[in-house]
Amino acid sequence: MKPISCPIMIFARAPVPGEVKTRLIPMLGPVGAAMLHEGLLLQSLTTALQAGAGPVHLWCAPSSEHPFFGQCAKEFGVELCDQPDGDLGARLAHAFKQTLTAASCAVTIGSDSPSLTSADVQEAAAALAQGADAVLGPAEDGGYVLLGLRHFAPEVFSGVTWSSEKVASETRVRLRALNWRWHELPQRWDIDRPEDLARFLANRGSSMGTA
């Protein structure tokens, strides 16, 4: 049987100095923080493509017209989409609703989660193909680094306390209320705080994010 195609969506902001990785600017400066953001996004694109689960869509902010996104499209062959206005929940809901009109499942991953592996993405796609309604990849900080859905339901994204330690737990509450069966991946970490950066630097050169 032909494997199910599960589009992978990556949400990312343009690497504009002073506007990305702002909590790391005191350590890296605005240009250094933007360069880190750029490198992490490139790693996420590589992870998504190595998974081979389906086409990769890069959801861009504030616009896909930024030259860096054009470079990504050219080098990686990914589709560029513009993020709509609204909070993260509204933007995720829009992307999932649009993608699931043409696909039987979809997965979104973070643009700054170097611990997420291509095997994680493959596991998520396989779980959805085997009948799971959703897949959650929890993050150590209480958020999530991956979310996969087989159906669209706006309740998954409504009223969540975004950018907080409650995101994953509140998402579980919503999945439970929908009576959905979901699969959870191993907990991973992303890079937002100085201690995250220290761990990333200590692990550089490992196979993290490629297995």
Side-chain angles (χ1 to χ4, degrees), residues 133-134 149-153 156 175-182:
D133 299 300
L149 299 179
R150 203 155 54 89
H151 328 279
F152 173 72
V156 176
L175 296 177
R176 197 171 293 116
L178 287 164
N179 200 29
W180 281 6
R181 184 168 64 90
W182 76 90

Side-chain angles (χ1 to χ4, degrees), residues 8 43-53 107 109 113-128 130 135-137 145-146 183-186 188 207-211:
I8 310 301
Q43 183 168 342
S44 292
L45 286 166
T46 299
T47 298
L49 288 166
Q50 286 179 342
V107 169
I109 68 173
S113 305
S115 62
L116 186 73
T117 69
S118 56
D120 291 330
V121 180
Q122 290 169 346
E123 181 178 337
L128 293 167
Q130 292 163 12
V135 177
L136 186 66
V145 299
L146 179 149
H183 174 75
E184 292 218 7
L185 300 174
R188 302 300 187 194
S207 58
M208 176 176 59
T210 61

Side-chain angles (χ1 to χ4, degrees), residues 2-211:
K2 185 178 179 181
I4 191 169
S5 177
C6 191
I8 310 301
M9 307 181 296
I10 304 176
F11 277 62
R13 295 195 62 80
V16 178
E19 296 184 11
V20 292
K21 291 292 164 216
T22 53
R23 282 186 278 182
L24 297 177
I25 288 176
M27 293 181 65
L28 301 174
V31 173
M35 291 177 64
L36 173 66
H37 173 80
E38 186 175 306
L40 291 170
L41 175 55
L42 294 175
Q43 183 168 342
S44 292
L45 286 166
T46 299
T47 298
L49 288 166
Q50 286 179 342
V56 177
H57 302 166
L58 182 57
W59 285 81
C60 311
S63 167
S64 59
E65 296 299 317
H66 189 280
F68 176 71
F69 293 137
Q71 176 187 339
C72 290
K74 181 178 180 180
E75 293 185 7
F76 291 90
V78 298
E79 179 181 339
L80 302 183
C81 308
D82 286 309
Q83 293 186 35
D85 295 330
D87 66 12
L88 179 58
R91 289 178 278 135
L92 284 170
H94 172 86
F96 270 106
K97 183 177 182 180
Q98 180 171 311
T99 303
L100 288 171
T101 60
S104 55
C105 65
V107 169
T108 185
I109 68 173
S111 61
D112 58 356
S113 305
S115 62
L116 186 73
T117 69
S118 56
D120 291 330
V121 180
Q122 290 169 346
E123 181 178 337
L128 293 167
Q130 292 163 12
D133 299 300
V135 177
L136 186 66
E140 287 184 3
D141 62 7
Y144 53 72
V145 299
L146 179 149
L147 179 69
L149 299 179
R150 203 155 54 89
H151 328 279
F152 173 72
E155 299 94 326
V156 176
F157 309 99
S158 177
V160 175
T161 312
W162 300 106
S163 301
S164 78
E165 73 283 355
K166 299 178 181 179
V167 172
S169 61
E170 291 180 348
T171 300
R172 291 186 188 99
V173 169
R174 283 149 178 78
L175 296 177
R176 197 171 293 116
L178 287 164
N179 200 29
W180 281 6
R181 184 168 64 90
W182 76 90
H183 174 75
E184 292 218 7
L185 300 174
Q187 190 178 74
R188 302 300 187 194
W189 53 275
D190 49 23
I191 299 180
D192 284 314
R193 306 160 299 175
E195 54 266 39
D196 302 324
L197 178 61
R199 183 177 357 182
F200 173 66
L201 295 175
N203 283 281
R204 288 187 76 171
S206 73
S207 58
M208 176 176 59
T210 61

